[in-house]
Amino acid sequence: MAPLFQSTALLVRLRLRRLVNQLTAASQPKKKPGDKTRTGNPGKKSSQVILYLGGIMMLIGFASISASAMYNLHFALDPPDTFWLTVEYSAALTVGVAFLLLILWTSTLLITIASGELAKPDWDLEWLVTLPMRSDTLLWARILERSVVNLSGTVALVPACTVIAWYSGYRWLAPFVGILAAWPMLLLVALVRTLLDTGLRLTLRPGQLRNLHAVISVLSIVTMYLAISMGLKGKADFMLGVAAMMPDWLAYTPMGLTVRAINERHFADAALLAAGVAGQVGVIVWLGVLLLRRQLRHGVVAGGARESARNSRNTDAGTSAPSRPSRASGFLSAVQRRELTLLGRDRNFLVQSLVIPLLIVGGQLLLGTSGVATSMWKDPNVLASVAFGLAAYSMSMSAFQTLNTEGHALWLLYTFPRSIEDVLKDKAKLWGVITLAYPVVIFAVGAALAPALDWKFLGAMLTALLGIPIYSFIAVALGIFGSNPLEQQQQHKVKPAYVYLYMALSALYVYAIVAPNSTQRLIFMVLSLLLAFALWQKARDQLPYLLDPDASPPARVSTSDGLIAAMLFFVSQAVAAAVIISGGRVTGAAVLISFSIGGAITYALMRYVYARAKTEGVPRIVTEGGGTRPLLGVASGVVAGIFGLAYLYAIGSLGLLEDVTRNNKSYMDLGLWVIPLGVIAAPIFEEFIFRGLIFGGLRRSFSFWPASLASAAIFAILHPALAIVPVFVLGLATAWTYERTRSLLAPMIVHAVYNAAVIMVPMLFV
Amino acid sequence: MIEFLGLTRTYGDFTAVQPLSLAVQRGEVFGFLGPNGAGKTTTIRMMMGILVPSGGRALISGLDCHTQRAEVQRHVGYLPDNPIYYDFLRGREILQFVAEMHGMERAEAGRQAVRMLEEFGLEEVVDEFAVNYSMGMKKKLGLACALIHDPEVLILDEPINGLDPRAARDVQERLKQAAASGKTIFMSTHLLDMAEKVCTRVGIIHRGELVATGTLDELRERVDQNASLERVFLSITDEDTARATAT
């Protein structure tokens, strides 16, 4: 027994050390030369915190689900009016709870196998058998070790057993009882998992193994949902029905005996039942080890490291002639064709990127309490949101992972006379189109079931469909920051913070779908498009550094900085206004001061960050060596101002102006304060953000016209609806002046002259 | 053809490549020798635009390897020290893909791929997934990938490291052929035997610093007329160690 204990302890320590290393590796700064950490993104501390919090949340979540599952089982299986809390369970309830444990056990087993090493080419047993220990000892140690180190099992089974113990009157001892009671079941998980992965590796070809792994990962999600559904109100009927049909002998299986042992009040009986569990599990594991030894009687020889094309039936082997280009593939680039080939051959890739998202979103909808699953067929906005959400979620597994699918073969892309950006664009387009399949199907069904196919349906559908290619680009761009293609560990290939960021941005787009009118929809779509460009630009800076472990790109002003600055400006302005006004009357002075504070904070912060990062291309108010050309500013300001006045006159003569002034009382209440606001504060801060950062950032990647039109558009849509047209023209005039002078002084003058004209001329003459 | 202008690379405080200045003429077979960890692979990766120089530049055909990477690749074929390929793709498909990415028309790329595989003696594994290849086959496939667009410059990182004698000889023959056809070859190696057989000129890099360049005969003169390259190598890298510890 001593060598068994020792080797188990060794294996457990090895496994735990690995787990701890995995969890902490990223958060410890490493100083070793030639180290593989980038100086640009030194740690992932925040994601570690998320990980720990997530673990605790999951334990609590499973405990609460188990508790409500037990309530549901009680109401379904026990006769009405019986009181069950802290009393012995009825025979029916015992079977029901045993069934709950059985389902949790099954899903734990499947998840363990799916997340385990089944599909990995390396098999650690091949290494372990070289250690100087008897094979018996090794196998026992391996099973014991796997029963102790099993995160998903612990998260699912320990809370459930703890809840059973709580309701059996153990109260604060319940967690300890829970851990003790869960362990035999975890031992069984470890046994079955070891038997399966050993047996499967010995008998199946690697290709089949990967396919099986894909199937198991799908099944694991389905059973997990079934288990969770038992604890949900109104969703549990199916599983409760199954539980009611369970045979009585379930009470004599390890799960049933575990339930009875926990629930039993008399110590002697409880000990007897516990001994029964121990005996059963002991015998099963002993038999399992015998079977394992039989499996390994010819030695530890895996079928082969990778899938072989030659002896696999499902690939068209033997065709050495180059495949003829089919008509459909003529539209595709070499990269896109390669991606599709891999998708067709690699079941794991297919399932991970296309099937699992469907299952997860579908499961959420069916199990969720929001009633979306039924209301989506009646309300086109909900339907479109679901369609877009599914596609966006699926792209977090596909488009977001473009670099990870290249993996260690990424070097090949660096040998081609094409920019990496082009290759990634090809992939973004491909996933943008493939992913359209889900919403197209959903809308087809939706159209068949919809009460009416009206503009509302069409508008929602178009918004969702147009959003998908945009978000495909956003996903690829964020994936460039959010993935570690050279990482060996599957779970470290993605940086969670970027996935969450992508999800949050996708959720924003849902607002575009449910927006009350088409103008707002359009605004949101323009903003998303601009966001896609901005992120793509940031990503492009990153591309030459992808395979560089140490260097990061030099900091440059980019469009995304401008978008962030604009947001910061609005938020800080709103906060300042809230503090200054704080319940009092909105005065012109207060507006001026809060506007100026918000602008100054944004300006100072951006300048500070740029100075810290030694950023290139920071906009200047006056360029060195003159050339600021204030007169050019005055001239364009006069032109823009005349346009603005003509516009005011035109809508005034149409009678629209009165409506606006009536609705916008506060604007008129500013009094003379509006003059310094419009002529001094607004030009300084808004020119810095909209011309200096946004137009300047866009100008890095685009020629003058697209950059000026896009920056003028975003400048315009952030103004009141009536002002959009003249402000757009002002945006163009200032961008043109900035382009000509390369300094911010002239556009600031344009802005000031325009504002002076549209504010003061009506004051003087109307 | 290939020029290094003060090319430098640091990892934090550690200098992997000291400012390196060197020119390799058209048609030369230049051997970049040095012990493990001397900075050979770092230099080659900077030539390929995979790593970004901390200072200085590397030029190929007058083009900057970092800022004009894509144009540079038109003229360059590259074999990494450990070529890793995509799962689930056959050798032929990888070659075809590489040829297409170099701008070859698809059908022509397919024909060229089959031709290269035959030329490299890989016909028997033509329908095997490339990840299952032995190291020798992977290197041969890598060399085929490097040569498929008929580049003027070959950049090879340890081309025969880890190959059995027969495969090593095959690859050496290939390289001699390529050199005879006028290609410029820049290869790193720590196998002196290989350098002696193939290279017209060598440079010895030690602790990130280029400590000697010249033809093999010139290097021999520095130590002893009849010395083997091994003795030359050991003495040069030793001297350097002595000097480094003395200062």
Side-chain angles (χ1 to χ4, degrees):
Chain A
M1 218 45 201
L4 173 61
F5 181 75
Q6 205 182 359
S7 41
T8 308
L10 268 173
L11 280 180
V12 168
R13 257 169 49 200
L14 184 75
R15 197 67 60 169
L16 282 177
R17 164 58 45 199
R18 188 163 158 266
L19 204 68
V20 170
N21 283 350
Q22 275 179 15
L23 293 177
T24 57
S27 56
Q28 283 168 354
K30 293 179 231 169
K31 286 284 189 302
K32 210 169 48 144
D35 201 280
K36 297 279 181 202
T37 46
R38 276 174 197 229
T39 46
N41 41 18
K44 288 185 277 185
K45 265 220 162 93
S46 58
S47 61
Q48 300 305 315
V49 174
I50 291 171
L51 208 69
Y52 298 135
L53 279 180
I56 294 169
M57 297 280 283
M58 275 177 64
L59 281 173
I60 296 172
F62 269 96
S64 94
I65 285 169
S66 307
S68 35
M70 284 180 62
Y71 269 107
N72 286 344
L73 284 166
H74 163 64
F75 288 118
L77 303 175
D78 284 341
D81 304 328
T82 50
F83 182 72
W84 66 291
L85 272 181
T86 68
V87 296
E88 287 190 15
Y89 302 161
S90 67
L93 185 61
T94 304
V95 172
V97 176
F99 174 68
L100 173 68
L101 284 185
L102 180 66
I103 291 288
L104 283 172
W105 182 86
T106 313
S107 66
T108 295
L109 175 68
L110 291 174
I111 288 175
T112 312
I113 295 175
S115 62
E117 57 276 5
L118 189 57
K120 280 190 196 151
D122 305 316
W123 189 18
D124 62 350
L125 198 59
E126 284 178 318
W127 172 65
L128 290 176
V129 288
T130 63
L131 299 178
M133 326 164 200
R134 288 182 46 214
S135 64
D136 251 10
T137 318
L138 174 67
L139 293 174
W140 273 98
R142 189 173 169 81
I143 291 170
L144 287 173
E145 172 256 309
R146 285 179 156 187
S147 73
V148 178
V149 190
N150 180 348
L151 272 184
S152 60
T154 309
V155 164
L157 287 171
V158 171
C161 290
T162 304
V163 167
I164 298 173
W166 176 271
Y167 286 138
S168 301
Y170 281 99
R171 297 294 138 171
W172 298 108
L173 278 176
F176 302 102
V177 178
I179 291 171
L180 267 180
W183 185 63
M185 284 185 281
L186 289 172
L187 203 59
L188 289 181
V189 169
L191 173 73
V192 178
R193 167 190 174 195
T194 309
L195 274 173
L196 274 180
D197 80 12
T198 310
L200 293 175
R201 269 177 193 276
L202 292 173
T203 49
L204 290 186
R205 283 194 298 273
Q208 293 170 316
L209 213 56
R210 286 185 69 132
N211 291 350
L212 185 74
H213 182 248
V215 172
I216 288 176
S217 54
V218 169
L219 283 180
S220 71
I221 291 178
V222 173
T223 46
M224 184 47 81
Y225 273 131
L226 287 178
I228 290 173
S229 81
M230 289 177 81
L232 296 178
K233 212 175 154 107
K235 312 279 173 184
D237 294 349
F238 172 70
M239 286 307 279
L240 292 177
V242 179
M245 292 190 314
M246 283 294 125
D248 289 344
W249 55 257
L250 202 62
Y252 297 92
T253 58
M255 285 80 193
L257 288 177
T258 304
V259 176
R260 289 163 67 190
I262 302 175
N263 189 236
E264 181 57 57
R265 289 343 224 357
H266 303 291
F267 181 76
D269 290 346
L272 203 64
L273 286 164
V277 176
Q280 276 190 353
V281 171
V283 169
I284 294 173
V285 175
W286 181 69
L287 288 173
V289 170
L290 285 187
L291 184 60
L292 261 176
R293 290 192 62 188
R294 206 185 127 66
Q295 284 179 333
L296 293 172
R297 67 193 180 284
H298 298 305
V300 181
V301 196
R306 306 275 178 144
E307 173 154 22
S308 167
R310 276 198 208 154
N311 46 18
S312 125
R313 269 172 296 136
N314 49 15
T315 48
D316 49 334
T319 49
S320 62
S323 43
R324 226 172 293 125
S326 68
R327 185 170 303 200
S329 65
F331 297 110
L332 299 172
S333 71
V335 177
Q336 291 167 336
R337 269 201 305 275
R338 194 210 63 204
E339 196 86 340
L340 285 179
T341 310
L342 293 184
L343 199 60
R345 287 185 191 161
D346 188 346
R347 295 299 129 79
N348 227 12
F349 182 29
L350 183 78
V351 164
Q352 291 288 344
S353 56
L354 293 176
V355 180
I356 299 231
L358 192 66
L359 284 177
I360 288 180
V361 174
Q364 296 284 358
L365 286 185
L366 291 176
L367 296 183
T369 48
S370 58
V372 165
T374 49
S375 68
M376 63 188 269
W377 307 113
K378 299 186 190 97
D379 184 346
N381 280 351
V382 179
L383 184 76
S385 305
V386 169
F388 175 79
L390 174 58
Y393 184 71
S394 142
M395 284 192 289
S396 75
M397 308 277 197
S398 55
F400 191 90
Q401 310 279 354
T402 43
L403 280 185
N404 283 338
T405 52
E406 297 289 324
H408 284 267
L410 191 56
W411 67 273
L412 263 176
L413 293 186
Y414 281 80
T415 67
F416 303 137
R418 275 188 73 185
S419 65
I420 310 286
E421 188 194 351
D422 272 359
V423 174
L424 293 179
K425 260 185 197 159
D426 275 359
K427 286 198 173 196
K429 285 180 206 157
L430 179 73
W431 285 111
V433 172
I434 292 180
T435 315
L436 277 177
Y438 299 119
V440 165
V441 170
I442 291 178
F443 283 121
V445 177
L449 295 175
L453 281 184
D454 47 10
W455 286 110
K456 197 181 171 214
F457 187 93
L458 215 63
M461 182 174 87
L462 269 181
T463 314
L465 291 180
L466 285 173
I468 290 163
I470 299 177
Y471 272 80
S472 175
F473 275 85
I474 291 180
V476 172
L478 282 176
I480 288 167
F481 297 101
S483 45
N484 299 316
L486 300 187
E487 188 62 58
Q488 298 286 353
Q489 289 294 327
Q490 193 61 39
Q491 58 267 46
H492 285 172
K493 285 195 164 194
V494 170
K495 298 176 194 157
Y498 286 94
V499 185
Y500 297 143
L501 178 60
Y502 169 72
M503 300 284 192
L505 292 175
S506 312
L508 273 183
Y509 193 78
V510 172
Y511 186 77
I513 295 173
V514 300
N517 64 49
S518 47
T519 320
Q520 288 186 350
R521 249 185 201 157
L522 201 67
I523 289 172
F524 260 87
M525 286 162 81
V526 169
L527 284 177
S528 308
L529 202 62
L530 198 70
L531 185 70
F533 279 127
L535 289 172
W536 195 263
Q537 184 179 47
K538 266 272 196 233
R540 187 189 300 125
D541 290 347
Q542 191 69 40
L543 285 176
Y545 296 81
L546 275 187
L547 287 176
D548 199 312
D550 205 46
S552 329
R556 298 172 73 185
V557 171
S558 54
T559 318
S560 54
D561 303 349
L563 295 181
I564 292 167
M567 235 142 62
L568 183 66
F569 179 43
F570 283 104
V571 172
S572 56
Q573 196 182 324
V575 171
V579 172
I580 292 168
I581 296 166
S582 64
R585 222 170 59 83
V586 181
T587 62
V591 171
L592 174 66
I593 291 169
S594 54
F595 184 92
S596 306
I597 289 176
I601 288 175
T602 310
Y603 188 86
L605 213 62
M606 295 307 288
R607 284 278 177 184
Y608 172 72
V609 171
Y610 283 147
R612 277 290 303 267
K614 298 189 176 64
T615 310
E616 297 167 17
V618 180
R620 291 164 181 279
I621 293 180
V622 182
T623 41
E624 286 150 42
T628 44
R629 301 170 75 179
L631 284 180
L632 186 73
V634 174
S636 348
V638 168
V639 172
I642 289 173
F643 178 85
L645 288 174
Y647 177 82
L648 275 181
Y649 179 76
I651 58 166
S653 60
L654 288 172
L656 291 168
L657 201 56
E658 281 92 64
D659 296 351
V660 176
T661 46
R662 220 178 299 121
N663 294 337
N664 282 345
K665 266 265 182 254
S666 62
Y667 175 71
M668 288 290 132
D669 281 350
L670 296 181
L672 287 178
W673 292 104
V674 75
I675 297 173
L677 178 69
V679 180
I680 301 170
I684 292 177
F685 300 127
E686 293 185 358
E687 288 311 303
F688 175 69
I689 295 171
F690 290 96
R691 248 57 63 188
L693 304 184
I694 295 184
F695 170 72
L698 285 168
R699 190 67 186 83
R700 247 176 66 197
S701 312
F702 299 103
S703 59
F704 170 73
W705 280 110
S708 60
L709 288 171
S711 67
I714 183 163
F715 183 50
I717 58 177
L718 294 171
H719 282 79
L722 200 70
I724 282 182
V725 176
V727 168
F728 182 76
V729 172
L730 172 67
L732 288 181
T734 44
W736 180 78
T737 323
Y738 184 50
E739 175 82 6
R740 290 292 295 267
T741 62
R742 301 267 163 208
S743 66
L744 284 172
L745 184 65
M748 282 174 181
I749 293 174
V750 179
H751 200 145
V753 170
Y754 167 89
N755 274 359
V758 296
I759 292 166
M760 297 204 292
V761 170
M763 276 185 177
L764 294 177
F765 297 101
V766 181
Chain B
M1 204 68 205
I2 303 173
E3 254 184 300
F4 299 102
L5 306 171
L7 187 70
T8 316
R9 175 66 207 214
T10 54
Y11 293 105
D13 302 332
F14 175 75
T15 307
V17 177
Q18 314 258 17
L20 169 69
S21 293
L22 177 72
V24 177
Q25 305 305 319
R26 183 182 297 274
E28 268 193 290
V29 179
F30 189 87
F32 204 43
L33 310 185
N36 295 330
K40 302 186 297 282
T41 299
T42 300
T43 307
I44 284 187
R45 290 199 175 150
M46 284 194 280
M47 295 168 81
M48 291 307 294
I50 293 172
L51 289 182
V52 182
S54 309
R57 304 200 295 162
L59 303 176
I60 292 176
S61 296
L63 298 165
D64 188 297
C65 293
H66 170 52
T67 56
Q68 295 167 294
R69 185 195 64 77
E71 291 94 297
V72 168
Q73 301 315 336
R74 266 181 233 294
H75 309 280
V76 171
Y78 167 58
L79 172 68
D81 52 347
N82 177 23
I84 298 175
Y85 301 102
Y86 302 106
D87 273 3
F88 293 94
L89 282 184
R90 303 181 176 92
R92 168 175 59 76
E93 291 165 333
I94 287 173
L95 261 180
Q96 186 180 5
F97 171 65
V98 169
E100 273 185 87
M101 293 301 281
H102 277 287
M104 223 176 271
E105 195 264 320
R106 189 163 178 227
E108 173 57 26
R111 279 193 293 277
Q112 182 70 10
V114 172
R115 203 176 309 140
M116 292 298 278
L117 286 172
E118 278 166 13
E119 203 179 304
F120 278 81
L122 292 169
E123 15 350 22
E124 54 193 277
V125 289
V126 71
D127 280 315
E128 181 70 79
F129 289 142
V131 283
N132 298 327
Y133 286 10
S134 66
M135 191 56 172
M137 290 190 223
K138 279 185 184 170
K139 288 242 168 172
K140 279 186 191 170
L141 179 63
L143 204 55
C145 286
L147 283 166
I148 198 159
H149 59 295
D150 194 24
E152 300 156 55
V153 178
L154 277 179
I155 297 176
L156 313 170
D157 199 353
E158 305 281 3
I160 62 163
N161 200 10
L163 301 192
D164 64 49
R166 182 174 298 278
R169 201 187 59 190
D170 281 359
V171 170
Q172 285 180 15
E173 289 306 315
R174 277 294 135 206
L175 295 183
K176 280 184 189 161
Q177 270 175 32
S181 69
K183 292 194 194 312
T184 310
I185 299 178
F186 184 94
M187 69 169 144
S188 78
T189 183
H190 60 250
L191 302 172
L192 304 173
D193 175 50
M194 156 94 175
E196 235 167 349
K197 278 183 193 153
V198 186
C199 298
T200 54
R201 198 155 71 97
V202 297
I204 296 179
I205 184 172
H206 187 51
R207 301 191 174 193
E209 196 182 350
L210 189 68
V211 287
T213 48
T215 62
L216 292 172
D217 290 335
E218 283 167 5
L219 288 189
R220 268 195 202 99
E221 264 170 38
R222 283 177 56 166
V223 181
D224 177 0
Q225 288 284 341
N226 301 317
S228 67
L229 182 58
E230 187 181 358
R231 258 192 71 197
V232 175
F233 179 83
L234 289 176
S235 113
I236 288 175
T237 50
D238 249 11
E239 255 171 37
D240 185 68
T241 321
R243 202 180 58 203
T245 45
T247 49

